Amino acid sequence: DPVAGLSSRGSLVTIREELDNIANYVTIQNVRYYGCIQMRYEVEDRLLDYRMPKMILQPIVENAIFHGLAELEEDGIITIRIQSQLDEVVIEVCDNGVGMDHDTMQNLMEEKSGASTGTNGIGLHNVQRRIQLHFGKPYGIQVASKIDEGTIFSILLPAIIEAK
């Protein structure tokens, strides 16, 4: 069970570590997709030491690649934008992919198995559930998409900067 062990309360990593994991993951995917995935990062340096649950971003990036970019004719661009506002951190994962209609977005967020992702079995529903178990209902993922323009996943987290 890929989700086992991920939900312990001590499973926070730095944003830097999570972004390193994404860079490694995309490197592997670029072998598969012939280097067609470009990553862009818009992150204030001071936020790199903030903490977040691990394995939150990979299922979202994976979704962007498989559902958004795989069908594109030109290069896919995924932008990860991280900002803080007051005592919260907002992480946006934006792609320039094919986009999704309302029903597809709904199904993606309600998917209870790993069927909405590729191989790792951690669906967006599980990511949402883990964020809310950690931090409560106001936090989690929202998705906005336009057909032929792309998709933006927004993740709202509390700003946490304490040591491990």
Side-chain angles (χ1 to χ4, degrees):
D1 177 11
V3 182
L6 289 182
S7 59
S8 70
R9 292 194 77 73
S11 59
L12 297 181
V13 296
T14 63
I15 288 175
R16 177 184 284 105
E17 290 172 287
E18 187 76 346
L19 291 177
D20 286 346
N21 289 339
I22 290 302
N24 293 333
Y25 172 75
V26 172
T27 298
I28 292 165
Q29 292 303 320
N30 261 327
V31 171
R32 183 177 186 177
Y33 290 105
Y34 307 103
C36 288
I37 305 160
Q38 295 177 35
M39 291 299 298
R40 295 184 181 159
Y41 299 93
E42 298 172 13
V43 185
E44 297 170 42
D45 281 349
R46 66 182 187 84
L47 299 180
L48 291 172
D49 292 322
Y50 280 60
R51 303 184 82 73
M52 64 183 290
K54 63 182 163 192
M55 284 298 291
I56 293 289
L57 292 180
Q58 184 175 320
I60 294 171
V61 170
E62 185 173 12
N63 182 76
I65 293 170
F66 293 142
H67 294 285
L69 305 182
E71 300 160 41
L72 275 186
E73 301 291 315
E74 70 271 14
D75 281 4
I77 300 167
I78 298 174
T79 303
I80 296 180
R81 191 175 296 123
I82 305 179
Q83 300 161 316
S84 65
Q85 48 191 44
L86 300 172
D87 53 356
E88 296 173 333
V89 173
V90 179
I91 303 174
E92 290 182 337
V93 180
C94 314
D95 69 62
N96 67 332
V98 295
M100 293 182 273
D101 61 28
H102 180 76
D103 288 349
T104 306
M105 287 189 290
Q106 199 81 22
N107 290 340
L108 206 59
M109 292 306 295
E110 291 171 5
E111 181 62 58
K112 293 187 176 38
S113 70
S116 63
T117 66
T119 54
N120 73 17
I122 303 174
L124 297 183
H125 172 85
N126 283 324
V127 172
Q128 176 82 315
R129 201 188 62 188
R130 286 199 302 118
I131 292 171
Q132 291 181 346
L133 281 173
H134 258 286
F135 305 121
K137 276 281 187 251
Y139 298 101
I141 308 171
Q142 290 188 315
V143 58
S145 190
K146 285 197 173 125
I147 299 293
D148 296 329
E149 289 185 30
T151 302
I152 300 175
F153 288 95
S154 299
I155 307 157
L156 183 64
L157 300 171
I160 299 174
I161 191 151
E162 82 254 6
K164 289 181 189 181

